[in-house]
Amino acid sequence: MIRWIVTDLDGTLVGRDLAMVPAGRDALRRFLAAGGEVVIATGRMEQSALRYYEELGLTGAAILYNGARTVDLGTGTVLRSRHLPPDAWKALLDLFGRLPEGVYPVAFSGGEALAVHDVPELRDYARRDGITLRDPGDWSALPPGEVIKCMLIGDPLPDLDIPGTITVRSEATYLEVLPEGATKGAALRELAASRGVPLEQIAAVGDNPNDIDMITTAGLGAAVGDGHPQVRAVADIVVGACADGAVADVVKLALGSYT
């Protein structure tokens, strides 16, 4: 029996119009009504994920920041949190002055998204995620050890190898720098263990390489049909395209396990 469905947002449950695909949204509501649980797992921060959480009527945990933080968005309780090591943040500060033209950093700390550039690429990112970017004035003013993650947005994105971190591509022009061990899969394993839910009773669905660890962790890993080839290659099943109701396909399989 599939007890949980864990779903990515952008490109999986959420379409290009930034709204949940109706077929997927309605199917998840049926799954909830049947007694299942739904967990959102996204690179987004609290402010950005909350509207989807509330639209689905969820009451439990959400995996945020690509696994660096797990939060009960209903109460604001932080269930799991990871931060970039101070030395890693210092290395990133040094990198910021040497980034290729057209690549811009965003840092996340204290519940805020921070950026020093006012450029179309970052304005589009903020619009898409429904957040406000605050200018910290001076990056070095951020307390070391309190930065959850950093994103580099633009093209061409550099190759990074910073001790104490991992990097994932969440979009073609988004490179995310996360604390080592902060993945959607790691967060899912910890959350499932805390709730006593066997991984084989969990289905997970996503579309980009940042979803691979989550998909391979779950008992049933599903790739969105128009998602990244690397994701389709490792998934147990490939479902429809995002716009065609990829998540609804997963729900159909999960509800079949109840009969």
Side-chain angles (χ1 to χ4, degrees):
M1 176 180 286
I2 299 298
R3 293 170 56 183
W4 285 9
I5 291 177
V6 184
T7 179
D8 171 51
L9 288 179
D10 298 289
T12 301
L13 178 61
V14 174
R16 294 185 181 277
D17 61 356
L18 306 181
M20 283 192 286
V21 175
R25 178 199 61 207
D26 296 344
L28 287 177
R29 288 173 174 169
R30 291 194 297 273
F31 183 69
L32 289 165
E37 293 189 42
V38 174
V39 177
I40 287 172
T42 178
R44 293 175 181 249
M45 61 189 293
E46 293 92 337
Q47 175 190 354
S48 181
L50 182 60
R51 64 180 174 122
Y52 303 108
Y53 180 94
E54 291 179 337
E55 187 174 349
L56 285 170
L58 302 182
T59 58
I63 296 170
L64 308 173
Y65 301 94
N66 268 317
R69 180 169 285 200
T70 303
V71 180
D72 183 328
L73 289 178
T75 64
T77 302
V78 177
L79 306 175
R80 177 184 192 268
S81 188
R82 301 289 185 273
H83 295 83
L84 291 170
D87 286 347
W89 173 240
K90 291 176 182 177
L92 283 166
L93 288 180
D94 180 62
L95 173 71
F96 289 172
R98 300 181 284 107
L99 287 172
E101 184 177 353
V103 177
Y104 308 98
V106 179
F108 298 81
S109 179
E112 294 187 301
L114 308 161
V116 300
H117 298 92
D118 182 15
V119 293
E121 293 89 339
L122 296 190
R123 290 196 294 269
D124 182 66
Y125 164 70
R127 176 197 61 80
R128 174 178 171 173
D129 270 29
I131 61 175
T132 299
L133 294 175
R134 183 178 72 81
D135 186 347
D138 183 354
W139 283 122
S140 61
L142 292 182
E146 295 187 16
V147 178
I148 298 173
K149 77 170 185 176
C150 176
M151 289 181 66
L152 301 180
I153 296 177
D155 184 57
L157 292 168
D159 293 323
L160 300 183
D161 184 13
I162 299 174
T165 73
I166 58 171
T167 57
V168 293
R169 294 282 187 113
S170 52
E171 296 287 345
T173 57
Y174 294 177
L175 180 68
E176 309 211 11
V177 186
L178 296 155
E180 196 168 42
T183 68
K184 291 184 181 183
L188 175 57
R189 289 188 289 272
E190 190 169 314
L191 180 63
S194 72
R195 297 283 303 278
V197 177
L199 293 174
E200 58 266 25
Q201 296 181 0
I202 297 173
V205 56
D207 70 310
N208 262 315
N210 62 312
D211 297 313
I212 287 175
D213 187 36
M214 173 181 78
I215 287 171
T216 56
T217 291
L220 177 65
V224 176
D226 56 348
H228 196 284
Q230 291 178 7
V231 184
R232 299 200 305 270
V234 301
D236 298 309
I237 58 169
V238 177
V239 293
C242 172
D244 294 335
V247 174
D249 293 343
V250 177
V251 172
K252 183 177 180 180
L253 291 169
L255 286 177
S257 75
Y258 278 64
T259 60

